[in-house]
Amino acid sequence: MSKTLLLKNAHLIATMDDQQREIAEGSILIRGNRIEAVGPVAQMPDTADQVIDMSGHILLPGLINTHHHMFQSLTRALPAAQDAELFDWLTALFPVWQNITPAMQRAATRTAMAELMLSGCTTAADHAYLYVNGTRLDDSVQAAQEMGMRFHAARGAMSLGQSQGGLPPDALVEQDEQAILREMQRVVEELHDASPDAMIRVALAPCSPFTVTTDLMREAASLARSYGVGLHTHTAENSKDLAFSKERYGMTPTEYTESVGWVGPDVWHAHCVHLDEPGIALFARTGTGVAHCPCSNMRLASGIAPIRKMRDAGVKVGLGVDGSASNDSNHLLDEARLAMLSARVRDQNPGAMTAREALYIATRGGAEVLGRDDVIGRIAPGYCADIIAFRTDDISMAGAQSDPLAALVFCTPPRVAHSFINGRQVIEDGQLLTREVPLIIEEHNRLAMELLQGR
Ligand SMILES: [Zn+2]
């Protein structure tokens, strides 16, 4: 019989369950990696193999990040890319990324994950699309296992170099698309875990319409479907992206997406800033998900995605911090705040998104987008024990005790107090337990400097 863990006397538990229950003075009983029971203290057991007193804490499901490029943590706030839109930003960064090594990929992934975990994230999807100098998806998966994070590793690819009309330099792309597909098949067979409470899942993720061919989009989709794994890419990010689609394919991004079979409950698209009305209807009808990245969309001046319209139409929406070179933080709770604020600015309507809706998108919404809403994204019996706890007496929350749950979004405490992933405590009193943060930072800065110096 698995050991039990009781999280006892929480000030508030936001369950995100079907009734959206918020339980004052509650406890959660965990057995092994699953939640066994949740309810008011008086109705819950008093003892367990391990008991942790959660007095003065707000508990909620771990936040879910649906879009990232963790390698970009090596090139945050790079001067040449600070004030550029997407295409110019990429053009400034591509030559630097050309020298990334497997050790750099692993270090950057550990850094991104440490920062994500400290800000409340328990599941992250990483869209890894650069494969230079022997880097493989296995590097990202290894880092996730070291950090103890639930991970969706999206095997990206760029195959359309400048000589073929694409954006990246030829030296940065994998020109042999058959080799890309063979490697995609290998990582699915070797790294993907199809079990319900999997810690590692693999998805296939050609980078974007302007970096891969139509053939690769189609073949990746059929490969993913033959194995039952997810599909992920960038769509309708900015006006140049729209213009490229019109000029090269004679279609809008969503028409193109549909033409290559990239819609359905197994597909999620990042950004979708310029999703038009037919595109929103298409995504809603087909169960296609959207990774909303408000910070990156503002940083690169791409625009503000029509999230209110998408949610009202029934489109599945989750949050993504996007790559660390266009955010440039890995703070998922802050992303929830920006989702709320940007929705209000877009519609000039303070009711366009509430704090609770932002938290829903950050938890259940993300689980729906990743196809995991049967096991993560809520605190309910049978669900995996991915649970985070914030202190109500943090300086950021002072004066916000009238509604501490909404205050998490409005006030944005910088760190969680505790975090549990798959029943295992990974953060205690604000300290990461799985790796030494100072060592992560030291190694990361050393390798980032080597990268910038072109060594
Ligand atoms: Zn992205």
Side-chain angles (χ1 to χ4, degrees), residues 69-72 74 100-112 126-132 135-141 143 151 444 447:
H69 313 289
M70 296 189 184
F71 71 87
Q72 293 181 9
L74 294 158
I100 286 179
T101 64
M104 291 175 185
Q105 176 76 29
R106 290 192 294 272
T109 305
R110 283 193 287 265
T111 294
D126 187 35
H127 189 177
Y129 57 77
L130 264 193
Y131 295 95
V132 287
T135 308
R136 304 189 307 166
L137 192 68
D138 312 51
D139 295 303
S140 307
V141 168
F151 189 45
H444 183 97
L447 292 172

Side-chain angles (χ1 to χ4, degrees), residues 172-439:
L172 204 56
V173 305
E174 300 174 273
Q175 297 193 15
D176 181 350
E177 295 195 335
Q178 288 311 311
I180 293 174
L181 288 161
R182 281 196 299 276
E183 176 64 2
M184 285 178 165
Q185 184 171 4
R186 181 192 72 81
V187 296
V188 171
E189 288 181 353
E190 292 184 11
L191 305 173
H192 179 69
D193 179 356
S195 67
D197 43 8
M199 290 293 285
I200 304 289
R201 285 265 170 103
V202 171
L204 302 184
C207 188
S208 66
F210 51 88
T211 55
V212 299
T213 66
T214 299
D215 282 349
L216 187 63
M217 292 296 285
R218 283 212 179 93
E219 289 182 36
S222 84
L223 182 63
R225 283 172 178 141
S226 73
Y227 280 92
V229 302
L231 282 164
H232 182 47
T233 193
H234 291 96
T235 295
E237 183 166 348
N238 80 351
S239 54
K240 285 195 185 173
D241 194 0
L242 297 188
F244 184 93
S245 201
K246 202 91 206 154
E247 195 184 315
R248 189 172 175 99
Y249 307 115
M251 295 182 236
T252 67
T254 39
E255 285 166 352
Y256 177 67
T257 286
E258 190 177 23
S259 77
V260 289
W262 273 67
V263 288
D266 53 345
V267 189
W268 83 106
H269 294 262
H271 299 289
C272 301
V273 173
H274 298 280
L275 212 60
D276 55 13
E277 299 279 350
I280 292 173
L282 173 71
F283 279 24
R285 196 166 64 241
T286 54
T288 307
V290 168
H292 179 37
C293 308
C295 180
S296 172
N297 297 341
M298 289 192 268
R299 156 77 145 90
L300 300 175
S302 302
I304 300 174
I307 297 302
R308 179 74 276 135
K309 280 189 190 167
M310 291 183 200
R311 295 258 309 149
D312 289 347
V315 176
K316 297 187 293 193
V317 177
L319 279 186
V321 297
D322 201 14
S324 309
S326 68
N327 187 308
D328 299 45
S329 109
N330 297 297
H331 200 290
L332 196 50
L333 189 60
D334 188 50
E335 206 68 31
R337 182 175 195 248
L338 290 170
M340 176 181 79
L341 298 179
S342 62
R344 294 175 178 203
V345 171
R346 187 181 199 281
D347 295 351
Q348 295 185 32
N349 171 12
M353 188 180 293
T354 65
R356 281 173 171 76
E357 186 175 12
L359 286 175
Y360 181 97
I361 292 171
T363 54
R364 260 182 91 155
E368 289 163 6
V369 164
L370 296 181
R372 303 297 297 276
D373 54 317
D374 54 338
V375 282
I376 55 171
R378 65 187 97 172
I379 296 176
Y383 274 69
C384 288
D386 290 8
I387 297 165
I388 53 173
F390 290 92
R391 294 177 67 106
T392 54
D393 63 354
D394 188 78
I395 181 71
S396 60
M397 304 276 278
Q401 303 304 312
S402 53
D403 188 354
L405 182 63
L408 291 179
V409 182
F410 281 103
C411 309
T412 326
R415 284 190 178 195
V416 289
H418 305 284
S419 175
F420 303 83
I421 302 180
N422 214 35
R424 171 192 185 196
Q425 187 162 18
V426 292
I427 293 175
E428 183 178 14
D429 293 324
Q431 301 299 315
L432 191 70
L433 299 176
T434 52
R435 300 285 283 202
E436 301 259 354
V437 172
L439 297 182

